[in-house]
Protein backbone atom coordinates (compact mmCIF):
# COMPACT_ATOMS: atom_id res chain seq x y z
CA UNK A 1 0.00 0.00 0.00
CA UNK A 2 2.95 2.33 0.61
CA UNK A 3 3.66 2.25 -3.13
CA UNK A 4 0.29 3.83 -3.95
CA UNK A 5 0.28 7.57 -3.31
CA UNK A 6 -2.88 9.63 -3.43
CA UNK A 7 -2.93 12.24 -6.17
CA UNK A 8 -2.54 15.73 -4.82
CA UNK A 9 0.12 14.75 -2.32
CA UNK A 10 3.69 16.03 -2.63
CA UNK A 11 4.76 12.59 -3.88
CA UNK A 12 2.35 12.54 -6.79
CA UNK A 13 3.52 13.25 -10.32
CA UNK A 14 2.75 16.87 -11.19
CA UNK A 15 0.25 17.40 -13.99
CA UNK A 16 2.37 20.36 -15.10
CA UNK A 17 4.84 17.87 -16.54
CA UNK A 18 2.22 16.09 -18.63
CA UNK A 19 3.17 15.97 -22.30
CA UNK A 20 -0.42 16.92 -23.19
CA UNK A 21 -0.95 19.81 -20.75
CA UNK A 22 -0.65 23.31 -22.18
CA UNK A 23 -1.19 26.89 -21.11
CA UNK A 24 -4.38 28.27 -22.63
CA UNK A 25 -2.55 31.43 -23.61
CA UNK A 26 0.02 29.56 -25.68
CA UNK A 27 0.06 29.60 -29.46
CA UNK A 28 -0.05 25.79 -29.46
CA UNK A 29 -3.34 25.74 -27.55
CA UNK A 30 -4.89 28.46 -29.70
CA UNK A 31 -3.95 26.43 -32.74
CA UNK A 32 -5.66 23.37 -31.31
CA UNK A 33 -8.87 25.24 -30.45
CA UNK A 34 -9.04 26.57 -33.97
CA UNK A 35 -8.94 23.02 -35.37
CA UNK A 36 -11.65 21.40 -33.21
CA UNK A 37 -15.42 21.40 -33.52
CA UNK A 38 -17.75 20.07 -30.84
CA UNK A 39 -20.31 17.56 -32.08
CA UNK A 40 -23.31 16.04 -30.33
CA UNK A 41 -23.26 15.45 -26.59
CA UNK A 42 -22.50 11.83 -25.72
CA UNK A 43 -22.90 11.99 -21.96
CA UNK A 44 -22.91 14.20 -18.89
CA UNK A 45 -22.52 14.07 -15.15
CA UNK A 46 -22.32 16.36 -12.17
CA UNK A 47 -18.76 17.38 -12.98
CA UNK A 48 -18.23 16.98 -16.73
CA UNK A 49 -19.73 16.78 -20.22
CA UNK A 50 -18.54 14.63 -23.11
CA UNK A 51 -19.02 15.59 -26.77
CA UNK A 52 -18.01 14.17 -30.11
CA UNK A 53 -14.79 15.78 -31.30
CA UNK A 54 -14.60 16.78 -34.95
CA UNK A 55 -10.92 17.33 -35.66
CA UNK A 56 -9.40 19.26 -38.54
CA UNK A 57 -7.50 17.21 -41.12
CA UNK A 58 -4.31 19.11 -40.26
CA UNK A 59 -4.16 17.33 -36.89
CA UNK A 60 -2.12 14.16 -37.19
CA UNK A 61 -4.49 11.47 -35.95
CA UNK A 62 -5.50 7.92 -36.74
CA UNK A 63 -8.40 8.47 -39.14
CA UNK A 64 -9.86 5.07 -38.24
CA UNK A 65 -10.42 6.17 -34.65
CA UNK A 66 -13.09 8.44 -33.16
CA UNK A 67 -12.37 11.17 -30.60
CA UNK A 68 -14.17 13.04 -27.82
CA UNK A 69 -13.97 16.38 -26.03
CA UNK A 70 -14.49 16.20 -22.26
CA UNK A 71 -15.31 19.47 -20.51
CA UNK A 72 -14.99 20.06 -16.76
CA UNK A 73 -15.76 23.43 -15.22
CA UNK A 74 -16.48 25.59 -12.19
CA UNK A 75 -20.24 25.47 -12.79
CA UNK A 76 -22.28 28.07 -10.96
CA UNK A 77 -24.04 25.36 -8.93
CA UNK A 78 -20.75 23.95 -7.54
CA UNK A 79 -19.06 25.02 -4.35
CA UNK A 80 -15.79 26.84 -5.27
CA UNK A 81 -13.68 24.25 -3.43
CA UNK A 82 -15.44 21.42 -5.26
CA UNK A 83 -14.95 23.23 -8.56
CA UNK A 84 -11.21 23.55 -7.92
CA UNK A 85 -11.05 19.86 -7.11
CA UNK A 86 -12.88 19.21 -10.37
CA UNK A 87 -9.99 20.82 -12.29
CA UNK A 88 -7.48 18.73 -10.35
CA UNK A 89 -9.38 15.52 -11.13
CA UNK A 90 -9.42 16.32 -14.85
CA UNK A 91 -5.64 16.81 -14.75
CA UNK A 92 -5.28 13.63 -12.73
CA UNK A 93 -7.07 11.56 -15.37
CA UNK A 94 -4.69 12.81 -18.07
CA UNK A 95 -1.72 12.21 -15.80
CA UNK A 96 -2.72 8.60 -15.19
CA UNK A 97 -3.50 7.84 -18.84
CA UNK A 98 -0.07 9.22 -19.77
CA UNK A 99 1.53 6.87 -17.27
CA UNK A 100 -0.37 3.87 -18.65
CA UNK A 101 -0.24 4.60 -22.40
CA UNK A 102 -0.03 3.04 -24.81
CA UNK A 103 -2.35 0.16 -23.94
CA UNK A 104 -5.15 -1.31 -26.12
CA UNK A 105 -7.68 -1.08 -23.28
CA UNK A 106 -6.95 2.56 -22.35
CA UNK A 107 -7.97 5.44 -24.68
CA UNK A 108 -5.06 7.84 -25.18
CA UNK A 109 -5.13 11.59 -24.59
CA UNK A 110 -4.38 13.87 -27.54
CA UNK A 111 -4.54 17.26 -25.85
CA UNK A 112 -5.35 18.77 -22.46
CA UNK A 113 -5.86 22.34 -21.26
CA UNK A 114 -6.32 22.88 -17.52
CA UNK A 115 -8.33 25.63 -15.86
CA UNK A 116 -8.55 28.09 -18.76
CA UNK A 117 -11.09 30.91 -19.20
CA UNK A 118 -14.28 29.50 -20.69
CA UNK A 119 -13.87 29.49 -24.47
CA UNK A 120 -17.36 28.24 -25.27
CA UNK A 121 -19.74 30.67 -26.89
CA UNK A 122 -23.40 30.31 -27.73
CA UNK A 123 -24.48 31.20 -31.26
CA UNK A 124 -28.09 30.36 -30.35
CA UNK A 125 -28.39 33.45 -28.15
CA UNK A 126 -26.46 35.76 -30.47
CA UNK A 127 -27.49 37.68 -33.56
CA UNK A 128 -24.43 36.38 -35.39
CA UNK A 129 -23.39 32.80 -35.92
CA UNK A 130 -20.52 30.89 -37.42
CA UNK A 131 -16.96 30.18 -36.43
CA UNK A 132 -15.00 32.33 -33.99
CA UNK A 133 -11.25 31.90 -33.86
CA UNK A 134 -9.96 30.21 -30.68
CA UNK A 135 -13.47 29.54 -29.40
CA UNK A 136 -15.63 26.44 -29.33
CA UNK A 137 -19.31 26.58 -30.17
CA UNK A 138 -21.82 24.51 -28.24
CA UNK A 139 -23.90 22.16 -30.42
CA UNK A 140 -27.48 23.34 -31.02
CA UNK A 141 -29.13 20.12 -29.86
CA UNK A 142 -28.16 20.14 -26.16
CA UNK A 143 -30.76 21.08 -23.58
CA UNK A 144 -31.19 24.65 -22.38
CA UNK A 145 -30.26 23.54 -18.86
CA UNK A 146 -26.96 21.96 -19.97
CA UNK A 147 -26.19 24.91 -22.23
CA UNK A 148 -26.71 27.43 -19.45
CA UNK A 149 -24.71 25.34 -16.99
CA UNK A 150 -21.67 25.14 -19.27
CA UNK A 151 -21.87 28.84 -20.10
CA UNK A 152 -22.06 29.62 -16.36
CA UNK A 153 -18.41 28.55 -15.99
CA UNK A 154 -15.77 31.23 -15.79
CA UNK A 155 -13.09 28.58 -16.27
CA UNK A 156 -12.99 25.09 -17.79
CA UNK A 157 -10.63 22.20 -18.46
CA UNK A 158 -10.68 20.49 -21.86
CA UNK A 159 -9.51 16.97 -22.64
CA UNK A 160 -9.37 15.63 -26.20
CA UNK A 161 -8.96 11.86 -26.25
CA UNK A 162 -9.71 8.69 -28.16
CA UNK A 163 -13.32 7.59 -28.04
CA UNK A 164 -14.27 4.11 -26.91
CA UNK A 165 -17.09 3.17 -29.28
CA UNK A 166 -19.43 0.57 -27.74
CA UNK A 167 -20.04 -2.65 -29.66
CA UNK A 168 -23.56 -3.00 -31.03
CA UNK A 169 -24.08 -6.71 -31.47
CA UNK A 170 -27.02 -9.00 -30.83
CA UNK A 171 -24.70 -11.25 -28.82
CA UNK A 172 -24.37 -8.45 -26.28
CA UNK A 173 -28.10 -7.96 -25.87
CA UNK A 174 -28.83 -8.26 -22.16
CA UNK A 175 -31.92 -10.33 -22.94
CA UNK A 176 -29.67 -13.15 -24.24
CA UNK A 177 -27.35 -15.45 -22.40
CA UNK A 178 -23.71 -14.90 -23.36
CA UNK A 179 -21.52 -17.94 -23.99
CA UNK A 180 -19.41 -18.78 -20.96
CA UNK A 181 -16.25 -18.53 -23.05
CA UNK A 182 -17.11 -14.91 -23.99
CA UNK A 183 -17.82 -13.97 -20.39
CA UNK A 184 -14.50 -15.46 -19.28
CA UNK A 185 -12.70 -13.56 -22.03
CA UNK A 186 -14.20 -10.22 -20.96
CA UNK A 187 -13.45 -10.78 -17.29
CA UNK A 188 -9.88 -11.82 -18.11
CA UNK A 189 -9.34 -8.61 -20.10
CA UNK A 190 -10.79 -6.54 -17.26
CA UNK A 191 -8.46 -8.10 -14.70
CA UNK A 192 -5.50 -7.85 -17.09
CA UNK A 193 -5.87 -4.09 -17.54
CA UNK A 194 -6.21 -3.60 -13.76
CA UNK A 195 -3.13 -5.76 -13.16
CA UNK A 196 -1.28 -3.74 -15.78
CA UNK A 197 -2.20 -0.51 -13.97
CA UNK A 198 -1.25 -1.94 -10.56
CA UNK A 199 2.13 -2.96 -11.99
CA UNK A 200 2.75 0.73 -12.69
CA UNK A 201 1.67 1.84 -9.22
CA UNK A 202 -1.74 3.02 -10.44
CA UNK A 203 -4.96 1.93 -8.80
CA UNK A 204 -8.37 2.63 -10.36
CA UNK A 205 -10.22 3.81 -7.27
CA UNK A 206 -13.60 4.15 -8.99
CA UNK A 207 -13.73 0.57 -10.26
CA UNK A 208 -17.27 -0.18 -11.33
CA UNK A 209 -18.73 -1.92 -14.37
CA UNK A 210 -20.04 1.26 -16.01
CA UNK A 211 -16.46 2.56 -16.17
CA UNK A 212 -15.69 -0.28 -18.59
CA UNK A 213 -16.97 -0.68 -22.13
CA UNK A 214 -16.97 -3.42 -24.73
CA UNK A 215 -15.60 -2.18 -28.05
CA UNK A 216 -14.92 -4.51 -30.98
CA UNK A 217 -14.62 -7.47 -28.67
CA UNK A 218 -12.25 -5.74 -26.24
CA UNK A 219 -12.72 -4.29 -22.77
CA UNK A 220 -11.98 -0.53 -22.58
CA UNK A 221 -11.28 1.11 -19.22
CA UNK A 222 -11.94 4.83 -18.81
CA UNK A 223 -12.69 7.52 -16.21
CA UNK A 224 -9.34 7.33 -14.44
CA UNK A 225 -9.82 10.60 -12.56
CA UNK A 226 -10.47 8.71 -9.33
CA UNK A 227 -7.21 6.79 -9.61
CA UNK A 228 -4.34 6.69 -7.17
CA UNK A 229 -0.65 6.64 -8.03
Amino acid sequence: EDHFVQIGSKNAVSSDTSRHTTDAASENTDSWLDRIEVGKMLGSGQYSYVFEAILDSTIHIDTEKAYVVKVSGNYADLDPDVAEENFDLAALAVEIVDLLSPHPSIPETLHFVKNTPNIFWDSISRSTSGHRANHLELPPDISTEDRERILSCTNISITVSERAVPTHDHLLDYSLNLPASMVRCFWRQLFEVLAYAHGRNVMMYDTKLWNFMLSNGSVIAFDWNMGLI
Side-chain angles (χ1 to χ4, degrees), residues 10-11 14 38 44 53 59 87 106 114 150 158 181 189 217-218:
K10 63 181 180 180
N11 295 320
S14 170
V38 176
S44 64
I59 299 178
F87 292 132
I106 302 174
K114 181 182 178 182
I150 294 172
I158 304 171
S181 59
Q189 290 183 41
S218 299

Side-chain angles (χ1 to χ4, degrees), residues 40-57:
K40 69 178 182 180
M41 190 168 72
L42 301 174
S44 64
Q46 183 178 3
Y47 303 111
S48 62
Y49 293 83
V50 179
F51 301 90
E52 284 184 338
I54 305 171
L55 305 182
D56 188 276
S57 59

Side-chain angles (χ1 to χ4, degrees), residues 135-156:
H135 284 74
L136 295 178
E137 183 176 348
L138 289 170
D141 57 347
I142 68 172
S143 70
T144 300
E145 180 181 0
D146 289 332
R147 182 181 301 278
E148 291 178 351
R149 189 166 188 256
I150 294 172
L151 293 175
S152 75
C153 298
T154 58
N155 287 61
I156 60 174

Side-chain angles (χ1 to χ4, degrees), residues 14 26 38 40 49 67-68 73 107 109 111 120 142 162 167 179 229:
S14 170
S26 72
V38 176
K40 69 178 182 180
Y49 293 83
Y67 298 88
V68 296
T109 300
H111 195 67
F120 277 98
I142 68 172
E162 293 178 357
T167 299
I229 62 174

Side-chain angles (χ1 to χ4, degrees), residues 163-195:
R163 178 185 177 187
V165 182
T167 299
H168 297 285
D169 192 299
H170 69 281
L171 290 176
L172 301 181
D173 190 320
Y174 290 127
S175 65
L176 300 178
N177 291 321
L178 296 178
S181 59
M182 182 179 293
V183 174
R184 286 195 296 269
C185 178
F186 291 151
W187 277 108
R188 183 175 66 250
Q189 290 183 41
L190 188 153
F191 288 127
E192 283 176 349
V193 69
L194 291 178

